[in-house]
Amino acid sequence: MVFESLSEKLQNALGKLKGKGKLSEKDVDIAMREVRLALLEADVNFKVVKDFIKKVKERAIGAEVMESLTPGQHVIKIVNEELTKLMGEKESKLNFSSSPPTVILMCGLQGAGKTTTSGKLASNLKKQNKRPLLVACDVYRPAAIKQLEVVGERVNVPVFSMGDKHDPVDIAKAAMEHGKKNGNDVIIIDTAGRLHIDEDLMTEIKNIHEAVKPNEVLLVVDAMTGQDAVNVADSFNERLGITGVILTKLDGDARGGAALSIRTVTNKPIKFVGMGEKLDQLEPFYPDRMASRILG
Ligand code: GDP
């Protein structure tokens, strides 16, 4: 189960409060110490944890307790609300352009799941009666172009490519023309992956960005890499100005550190989560549902 380990620890820490008719400040302190540890063990960003605990404590100690809840349930409710806030409060939908095509620039490190996710997104949009076009701008790995073509075929979405002999900016521009001519209302550009943040490739994405003026710049990051994912998101956001994050491989993430930190650290929403390798396993991200799922 997603976030299994975090979920278990939080439920353990808070479970002790549940039955209590009255809560002393010390009870809250002890529980919060355990919550803090559980979050740190889940690889949540240190500062995020600190602020979170501070907010929960302030609210738990100062608040009027509602009659319908025991004091323990009241603290759990506060934790639930603050966890939801950490993850962005509400679902954040894609911004579609009022004058199509909507352009989505996909970026991220190699292996994060960028190509797979481009295909998933195209499939998702197709189900909403959009006419997406996938664009292969990764000219450094010929296998990447082939991979996108295979993915496109599987979800029945056209793939625009010009092989690996052209400049990615020219490919992106040509794809825009092609998409407009063919009535594609969403253009999803798959850019070159990288092993780590690399100046040349970053400049290249910036140039593509400049040429196509995307409505969305979506960073694909692997949830299982925890704080590394958060640092990557922070860097891409600083250099490129991302509009949102897609967190992949959440299906294998028992800890949850990336999901719980990225929004607060970057101030950019998680728009979708990848829940498996299959091309229909992309889901919108609902912070409230995720918080409730974690707390059981
Ligand atoms: P790219 O290098 O960023 O384009 O990454 P790929 O799209 O090639 O994906 C790398 C690997 O991650 C592949 O084996 C994918 O099947 C796998 N993958 C991508 N997204 C998910 C996901 O949400 N869950 C799981 N379990 N695997 C995923």
Side-chain angles (χ1 to χ4, degrees), residues 108-117 120 141 147 190 193 220 247-252 273-278 281:
L109 298 186
Q110 221 174 80
K114 197 163 36 59
T115 304
T116 311
T117 305
K120 286 177 172 180
R141 280 193 317 138
Q147 192 190 345
D190 187 19
V220 178
L247 208 51
T248 61
K249 311 186 196 181
L250 210 69
D251 49 305
V273 288
M275 296 299 291
E277 293 193 81
K278 295 206 193 92
Q281 290 178 311

Side-chain angles (χ1 to χ4, degrees), residues 43 45 225-235 257-258 261-262 265-266:
D43 202 19
N45 175 281
T225 61
Q227 283 316 289
D228 282 345
V230 181
N231 294 334
V232 167
D234 207 19
S235 299
S261 315
I262 277 190
V265 172
T266 63

